[in-house]
Amino acid sequence: MPSSETERKPCHECSSRLQCLIGRQSDAGRAPWAALVEERRFRKGDVLQRQGDAAQSVAVLKVGTALLQRTGVDGTPRPVAMAGCGQALGTGAVAGTPEDLTWVAVLEGRMCHVPIAALLRAGGTGPEFLLSLLREEALARTRLADWSGLLRLRGVPAQLASALLQLAQLQRSTLVRLPTHTVLASLLATTRETIARSLTQLARQGAVVRHDRWHCAIVRGPLVALLEGSQAHAGEVPRTGASRTAAPAAASPAAPWAAASRRVPPVRELDLVADAAAVRRPVRAAAAPVAQAARA
């Protein structure tokens, strides 16, 4: 759980205020509840929010990175995205609904809290706050869509490239603080060894510059080019030897009949007339002796 040690810093002195649900409020709108804002530290591995719980406060991630998980009907939590600077959690508390995601810190950091009960008593949920909250929820859906989209890319290097670009956006820096290979592997549904090989491949291609095990500088151009190449390949349907052999027959519904007609010689109308004549001749020849015997 986050540390109970709290700090107080005015929002106008915070470098993250433009990305923050709390900091985006005007001074007049924030004045009734500004004294309620508390800054708390958290450690790696802390559960910042649990799916199904009713949050006691609205919070904003100020520094640090969290892994977002969703528990399915089988009861297994699975990673769905990552969150970083400026993202809000506990927003369901405003409407009195349980939270739909679990947040687990993968890097240490700090976040700002506003107790929801005190916020409601102070009249802090006015039109300005609610409009900002709706904007935050729309951004949250966009980020989730971006994270889910990376799994549609072809190949782990391209998926990792997309994840690094999104981490840089979350951390607001091209020098990315990397989570563990285990976290990245769980997010991309692969193995730690594959993550390590993919990072090495990206470094050889000049897409990242490794500083140490935990930090790398991203080079946006090569990473975006890798994504564009993956999208182009994703539009192609791979064809196996069997599918290539069967492709001409599947091109048209009439193809099997065309193949059969090539094997069977065509039958012309004249052939049918000649065959009919050949059948009738023996009948007339056999009838002639009968007629002669009757005349005798």
Side-chain angles (χ1 to χ4, degrees):
M1 293 297 292
S3 171
S4 58
E5 179 184 355
T6 62
E7 302 175 5
R8 292 183 183 275
K9 179 180 290 188
C11 288
H12 66 270
E13 296 181 9
C14 179
S15 61
S16 305
R17 64 184 180 277
L18 297 180
Q19 290 78 33
C20 172
L21 170 65
I22 301 172
R24 285 197 300 264
Q25 309 301 308
S26 65
D27 292 340
R30 193 172 50 245
W33 49 271
L36 302 174
V37 180
E38 296 179 349
E39 184 179 313
R40 299 179 184 175
R41 298 181 181 272
F42 57 84
R43 298 182 295 273
K44 176 183 175 181
D46 285 348
V47 178
L48 309 180
Q49 172 181 288
R50 196 177 300 277
Q51 179 181 335
D53 287 356
Q56 301 301 312
S57 60
V58 177
V60 176
L61 206 62
K62 185 174 182 178
V63 179
T65 307
L67 182 68
L68 277 57
Q69 298 176 334
R70 174 73 180 174
T71 301
V73 294
D74 59 352
T76 302
R78 294 182 175 87
V80 295
M82 299 191 78
C85 175
Q87 291 190 236
L89 59 157
T91 53
V94 178
T97 59
E99 300 305 321
D100 52 6
L101 294 172
T102 296
W103 291 45
V104 181
V106 296
L107 297 174
E108 69 280 358
R110 303 189 304 274
M111 57 183 180
C112 294
H113 288 255
V114 181
I116 186 63
L119 180 66
L120 293 174
R121 286 195 301 270
T125 55
E128 182 184 5
F129 182 88
L130 293 178
L131 183 61
S132 186
L133 180 62
L134 288 175
R135 176 187 175 188
E136 184 64 31
E137 291 297 298
L139 288 173
R141 287 195 298 272
T142 301
R143 296 185 189 107
L144 282 175
D146 289 340
W147 282 103
S148 65
L150 65 83
L151 292 177
R152 300 292 185 266
L153 297 173
R154 184 177 183 181
V156 175
Q159 295 173 0
L160 184 58
S162 178
L164 291 175
L165 287 170
Q166 294 188 60
L167 281 173
Q169 185 177 6
L170 294 178
Q171 298 178 12
R172 296 186 298 150
S173 173
T174 56
L175 181 61
V176 174
R177 173 79 182 273
L178 295 172
T180 65
H181 289 180
T182 301
V183 170
L184 289 173
S186 66
L187 187 63
L188 302 182
T190 185
T191 63
R192 293 179 300 170
E193 293 77 13
T194 303
I195 293 295
R197 286 195 300 268
S198 298
L199 280 172
T200 301
Q201 179 179 339
L202 292 179
R204 289 174 180 170
Q205 294 175 348
V208 298
V209 179
R210 299 296 300 272
H211 287 252
D212 52 44
R213 179 178 175 83
W214 305 111
H215 297 84
C216 72
I218 69 165
V219 184
R220 183 176 178 83
L223 289 176
V224 173
L226 183 60
L227 298 184
E228 292 173 348
S230 175
Q231 292 283 13
H233 288 299
E236 300 174 359
V237 179
R239 293 171 60 187
T240 63
S243 64
R244 284 193 294 269
T245 304
S252 170
W257 305 107
S261 65
R262 286 194 296 269
R263 291 192 298 269
V264 180
V267 179
R268 296 175 297 176
E269 185 178 355
L270 292 178
D271 297 331
L272 293 174
V273 173
D275 291 343
V279 171
R280 286 194 298 269
R281 277 192 216 102
V283 175
R284 288 196 296 269
V290 176
Q292 294 173 0
R295 285 195 296 272

